Amino acid sequence: MTCASALVLFGCSSLRHMLFHSAAWDLGIFDQAVYLISQGKSPISSFLGFHILGDHAAIIFYPLALLYKIYPTVYWLLLVQAIALASGALFTNLIARQAGLTTDQATAIAVVYLLYPLVFNINLYDFHPDVIALPALLGAILAARLGKFGWFCFSIFLVLGCKAVLSLTVAAMGVWLLLFEKKRFCGAIALLSGIVWFVIATKAIIPFFGGEAASVTRHISRYSYLGNSFGEILQNLLFNPNLVLGKIFSLDTLEYLALLFAPVIWGIAPRHLLPLIAAIPTLILNILADASQQRNLVHQYSLPILPFLLVLLIQTLAAGQGWIQRPRKIILWSLVAFFALGKYGYFWTIYLDSLDTWQATRQAIAQVQTQGGVYTTAEIATHLTHRPLIEFTDVNSPPADLTKFEYILLNARHPGWLSNRDFAINLINQLKNTKNFQLSYQQDEVYLFVKNSLVEIKRVN
């Protein structure tokens, strides 16, 4: 079941990418960084403008770069994501068996995991290192319960290496293990390592590699109403609670919690809510954020909640409680939730909206034959990120100097995220009238301009 799920997930994300619906933000960012690491170059993202460690202190990109040593392709990231998401079912099954559930019940819980809408949906939203932390958190829970300290430590360090903010989840998990699971050694390791890594990542790594743009703009802007630094935000949370009460007691929060718990509401028992202690940091961050994408089952922000939600279900079933206890009915409920909230319908709707220029776009990409700088749409960018310089079209932030690029590839019919048709057409007309670029390819409103100096070099060669 795990292997089949990995194949389905990989196939879906690959198809989405091939249909030009992956985007520079975030797949392009991570693909470019991993590629540069694999080439021995500094992974400074031209999309972000700073070193990839300044984004989320995600050191996991360095071991991922070993795959690019074999062959540099973005499909490695999509494959790793699919395997990571699917393998969560295996760990879920093992935790259920360890808790005393029957084989059928344990299998049903694994199916609940695979059909939880967030698992399928996040697989379609480019790539995020958070997905690697999902099976690692489940593995850590299993290791703690089995007393496998080495395995537990490895799992914890893997989680911490995926994203700095996950250190809060690790620390909260430590509290849960220490006080309520009576796993004192594992709990202390998780609590201490989570706190230490959060301080190191936010006070040293992110500011050093990313500067103010990373530590403030990228990470605190969604909580700007609470302060302009981590210290100010913490101070306002503790001493000015009125700022957050409106966020907590709101329809947005109610809707978010309904989405989060509806697929598993059958197994939410008040007596077994303690595992959700580890999910509190993620819940708070999502509820308090100004960004609505942190409160849905499409983006990656709710992933750290899922392992502990599953443990809650397992403990409910182990105690013979829950609205539904029969495996078949549990699976049926999960199927209904998946069909209601899964984004599988994108494959015959929005993912086909640029099919009319698909062939022309592929032919234009094939003519980008050097590693020179590229300026293109956010969706095309993910197919050309193996180079030090690439940027995507943004009507709010046009490039000050187009001559720094060797290729400019535009799709006037489908101008892409953060762009529009007027912006694309104006830029195409500007390039047609400049002496710096030459129109190299044109079909179905797809245009490829090549810098004249590069054209001259090709002629000489």
Side-chain angles (χ1 to χ4, degrees), residues 104-146:
D104 288 345
Q105 286 178 320
T107 301
I109 291 296
V111 173
V112 168
Y113 166 84
L114 290 173
L115 291 178
Y116 192 79
L118 181 61
V119 173
F120 181 82
N121 294 344
I122 186 58
N123 181 68
L124 297 181
Y125 182 52
D126 293 342
F127 167 85
H128 298 88
D130 314 49
V131 299
I132 300 173
L134 183 57
L137 284 169
L138 289 165
I141 295 169
L142 180 61
R145 291 188 165 182
L146 295 175

Side-chain angles (χ1 to χ4, degrees), residues 7-302:
L7 289 174
V8 170
L9 292 172
F10 178 61
C12 289
S13 59
S14 298
L15 179 58
R16 175 181 183 267
H17 176 65
M18 288 187 286
L19 291 172
F20 295 104
H21 277 276
S22 58
W25 215 284
D26 293 323
L27 183 60
I29 293 173
F30 300 141
D31 180 47
Q32 183 188 32
V34 176
Y35 171 77
L36 292 174
I37 293 170
S38 72
Q39 301 300 305
K41 299 177 181 179
S42 181
I44 296 176
S45 168
S46 56
F47 298 116
L48 296 174
F50 49 80
H51 196 287
I52 195 63
L53 288 180
D55 189 26
H56 293 292
I59 59 176
I60 193 67
F61 292 123
Y62 283 84
L64 284 176
L66 296 175
L67 296 172
Y68 280 54
K69 289 283 189 180
I70 301 172
Y71 183 77
T73 175
V74 69
Y75 291 101
W76 279 121
L77 296 183
L78 301 180
L79 179 61
V80 167
Q81 177 165 265
I83 293 174
L85 289 171
S87 65
L90 181 60
F91 286 107
T92 300
N93 182 270
L94 292 172
I95 294 172
R97 296 296 297 274
Q98 190 274 335
L101 267 61
T102 66
T103 301
D104 288 345
Q105 286 178 320
T107 301
I109 291 296
V111 173
V112 168
Y113 166 84
L114 290 173
L115 291 178
Y116 192 79
L118 181 61
V119 173
F120 181 82
N121 294 344
I122 186 58
N123 181 68
L124 297 181
Y125 182 52
D126 293 342
F127 167 85
H128 298 88
D130 314 49
V131 299
I132 300 173
L134 183 57
L137 284 169
L138 289 165
I141 295 169
L142 180 61
R145 291 188 165 182
L146 295 175
K148 304 290 185 180
F149 302 125
W151 181 10
F152 178 82
C153 291
F154 173 77
S155 299
I156 289 301
F157 295 147
L158 185 58
V159 174
L160 295 176
C162 290
K163 200 172 187 179
V165 73
L166 291 173
S167 57
L168 299 177
T169 299
V170 170
M173 182 174 69
V175 173
W176 169 58
L177 291 173
L178 185 67
L179 299 180
F180 302 102
E181 289 286 299
K182 307 304 179 184
K183 305 295 181 182
R184 292 182 175 83
F185 185 64
C186 289
I189 290 174
L191 179 59
L192 182 62
S193 61
I195 294 173
V196 170
W197 182 247
F198 181 78
V199 173
I200 293 173
T202 58
K203 296 297 183 181
I205 296 177
I206 292 175
F208 178 80
F209 286 101
E212 185 177 354
S215 58
V216 177
T217 305
R218 284 278 287 159
H219 301 94
I220 301 180
S221 60
R222 295 178 180 179
Y223 307 93
S224 57
Y225 69 97
L226 291 174
N228 296 317
S229 67
F230 288 111
E232 287 184 18
I233 290 175
L234 181 60
Q235 184 176 350
N236 279 320
L237 286 175
L238 294 175
F239 302 109
N240 196 2
N242 290 332
L243 287 175
V244 301
L245 288 178
K247 285 278 189 180
I248 295 173
F249 299 102
S250 67
L251 291 177
D252 286 344
T253 298
L254 181 62
E255 180 185 8
Y256 172 53
L257 295 177
L259 286 173
L260 199 63
F261 293 112
V264 294
I265 192 66
W266 55 266
I268 305 297
R271 292 184 180 182
H272 304 286
L273 293 178
L274 289 177
L276 292 184
I277 289 173
I280 288 175
T282 301
L283 279 169
I284 291 176
L285 288 172
N286 292 345
I287 289 171
L288 297 184
D290 279 332
S292 60
Q293 61 262 37
Q294 288 191 223
R295 294 182 295 276
N296 59 37
L297 297 186
V298 176
H299 299 83
Q300 74 276 14
Y301 303 103
S302 295

Side-chain angles (χ1 to χ4, degrees), residues 327-373:
R328 289 185 179 181
K329 291 185 177 181
I330 290 172
I331 294 172
L332 180 60
W333 184 283
S334 295
L335 279 169
V336 172
F338 177 79
F339 286 129
L341 300 172
K343 302 305 179 184
Y344 51 86
Y346 286 175
F347 283 101
W348 53 84
T349 53
I350 63 174
Y351 288 167
L352 300 180
D353 62 7
S354 60
L355 202 59
D356 54 337
T357 60
W358 183 80
Q359 187 63 39
T361 304
R362 283 175 54 85
Q363 290 174 356
I365 289 173
Q367 295 190 29
V368 180
Q369 298 175 350
T370 73
Q371 286 195 321

Side-chain angles (χ1 to χ4, degrees), residues 365-407:
I365 289 173
Q367 295 190 29
V368 180
Q369 298 175 350
T370 73
Q371 286 195 321
V374 174
Y375 185 57
T376 186
T377 70
E379 291 77 13
I380 297 175
T382 54
H383 297 258
L384 292 166
T385 42
H386 292 178
R387 62 195 68 246
L389 174 62
I390 183 168
E391 295 179 12
F392 64 90
T393 53
D394 183 351
V395 295
N396 299 312
S397 182
D401 180 19
L402 288 172
T403 59
K404 66 181 178 180
F405 304 106
E406 291 186 1
Y407 301 93

